[in-house]
Structure formats: C-alpha cells, structure tokens
Amino acid sequence: MSDIQRETMDYDVVIVGAGPSGLSAAIRLKQLNADLEVVVLEKGSEVGAHILSGAVLDPAALNALIPDWKAKGAPLNTEVKEDNFYVLGEAGQIRLPNAIMPPLMNNHGNYIVSMGNVCRWLAEQAEELGVEIFPGMACSELLFHDDGAVKGVVAGEFGKNADGSPSEAYEPGMELNGKYVFLSEGVRGSLSKQVIAKYNLDAACDVPKFGLGMKEIWEVKPENHNQGEVTHSMGWPMGFKQSGGS
C-alpha cells in the first residue's frame, strides 16, 4: 500500500483516542506550550461515543489538570455518600463491614459520573485551548521513518477487502504526521499491537491478563433510589476460583 497517494498534514503531536488519557494529554500539552499544534483522532462518531461506562471518579487528577473545573461546569454532580459491600450467594447476600475493606475501596470525596459526558467536557476544554479534534477518524496503521522511528498514522481509510487489498469503494484516508505520536486507544488498541510487534516491546514480559466486563442499565423505582450510593458485590454466580464482582 506504500504507492497510495494520500493528503498529508503535519503536527507537533498526534494523539490517537479521545478518551480521558488522550484528552488530558492534549490539554496539558497546550497548557505547557500554547503554540504546539496538537490533534486528537477519535474513531467514534463523536467524542464519548465509545466511552459507555458509568464510573466512580477520583477528582485528584482533574484537580491538578483543571483546578477550576467546578466553575467551568464539569459534569461531576453526584458525590459519593455511601459505600456498601456484599458477598452474594444462591440463597441471598451478606453485607461486609466497611472497616475491613482496603482504603482504595473507600470512595469518600469521589463522584459518580458518566465518563462519556466527562470526555465530552474535556474535549470542549481542549478545543478552547486550540486542540484540533477529529471524530469519525479511525486510524488503520502506523507510519515509520526510514530509521524505524514512528512518523505518524493513517486515518480515515475505508474500503479494504478482508485480505487488505483495496475494494472498488476504497478511500485512502490521510497521513497525519507528528514529532510525537501518543497512542491512547484503550485496552488492546490496534495501533498499540502494531508498535508492540515492531519493537518487540513484549519481550521478557509476563503474559497479559484480560478480564471480561458487562454493562447493565437498571430502572430503579424512585422510592428505592439512594443518590450517592455505591454498591460493590462479589461471589455468586462466580465460584471461589474466579475473581470478579460488580
């Protein structure tokens, strides 16, 4: 595919992925040097489209990055008021006392948030600083200099056949080159796999361990809703040999 002609754009920094880490990096770079040309590429149709999880957010990093986030309208509105811990069994549940849980399970001072909304807000802050954000721009491959250093990425490429050859509907996309390229794709990113393989970054490393997560959305009766409550569970339907919980 090296003979394909693509439009090229050059930046100081190219960031792949408009999640919390990619957007935070873009914001911090512009805070350090407003003259840097920074672009963030997001495969989703909009920022936050692939950030579906609810979360409990520790605001420590946000305090450091944007100290006046409250005044700027960050979507951190529900402070954690209570943590509950349960061991589940087929016959019912047993509540564990909070005092025996490790400190990292204490969510006092944290916030219950939608990470999609948090990322949308972070994108607004980044754009106000002059960061360019391109949603709907999936990155298909890394580009390299002759000496093997990362040069940039190919984004917006469509219409390849299963064997990698171009189909009749092929669109070559664009080359976005950067002095620095940040891969903020999340777990098992396709470009991360490429760079790990090229530079043999997993040599002498332990085998990776992966977990499976599932999301459910529950409708809760108003009389049963306790705003600010975080409930943790472990046990059934998992056995004693499997780690996990909710």
Side-chain angles (χ1 to χ4, degrees):
M1 305 297 287
S2 59
D3 58 340
I4 293 175
Q5 299 299 313
R6 297 187 177 96
E7 183 180 348
T8 300
M9 298 180 69
D10 295 320
Y11 292 89
D12 293 308
V13 182
V14 175
I15 300 175
V16 180
S21 60
L23 291 169
S24 296
I27 290 169
R28 186 59 182 150
L29 286 166
K30 294 293 283 187
Q31 289 174 342
L32 293 172
N33 185 347
D35 295 329
L36 287 176
E37 293 185 343
V38 180
V39 64
V40 180
L41 306 172
E42 167 56 37
K43 66 180 179 181
S45 58
E46 63 174 357
V47 173
H50 287 260
I51 308 290
L52 299 178
S53 65
V56 177
L57 177 67
D58 183 341
L62 193 56
N63 290 336
L65 182 68
I66 307 176
D68 58 344
W69 56 265
K70 287 186 179 180
K72 289 181 177 293
L76 280 68
N77 303 313
T78 303
E79 190 168 358
V80 176
K81 297 179 181 178
E82 182 180 359
D83 281 300
N84 296 322
F85 303 91
Y86 294 98
V87 176
L88 305 182
E90 291 188 59
Q93 63 189 28
I94 299 174
R95 182 171 179 179
L96 300 177
N98 291 39
I100 69 172
M101 304 307 294
L104 63 88
M105 301 297 289
N106 179 10
N107 288 300
H108 178 74
N110 296 342
Y111 291 83
I112 299 170
V113 301
S114 160
M115 284 308 301
N117 289 339
V118 171
C119 287
R120 292 182 186 95
W121 179 81
L122 285 172
E124 293 173 0
Q125 309 312 303
E127 288 179 324
E128 287 181 5
L129 294 171
V131 175
E132 292 185 47
I133 300 177
F134 297 155
M137 291 285 280
C139 297
S140 54
E141 65 177 290
L142 287 166
L143 301 169
F144 298 92
H145 291 288
D146 293 338
D147 63 0
V150 175
K151 176 184 179 182
V153 299
V154 174
E157 184 179 39
F158 298 102
K160 279 187 175 180
N161 294 314
D163 62 359
S165 62
S167 70
E168 294 180 357
Y170 179 73
E171 295 182 18
M174 300 174 59
E175 292 187 10
L176 292 99
N177 300 321
K179 298 174 184 176
Y180 297 92
V181 177
F182 289 16
L183 301 182
S184 305
E185 304 172 284
V187 177
R188 292 178 60 79
S190 58
L191 298 190
S192 298
K193 290 180 183 178
Q194 292 179 29
V195 79
I196 289 170
K198 180 174 179 63
Y199 298 119
N200 202 22
L201 297 179
D202 55 354
C205 292
D206 199 356
V207 293
K209 180 179 179 181
F210 301 100
L212 176 66
M214 293 176 286
K215 180 181 180 181
E216 295 181 346
I217 299 176
W218 294 0
E219 183 176 353
V220 180
K221 295 179 180 179
E223 61 268 24
N224 294 335
H225 179 243
N226 182 16
Q227 184 163 318
E229 177 182 332
V230 177
T231 299
H232 313 258
S233 75
M234 62 191 78
W236 187 88
M238 306 185 76
F240 292 108
K241 294 183 179 180
Q242 293 86 34
S243 61
S246 70

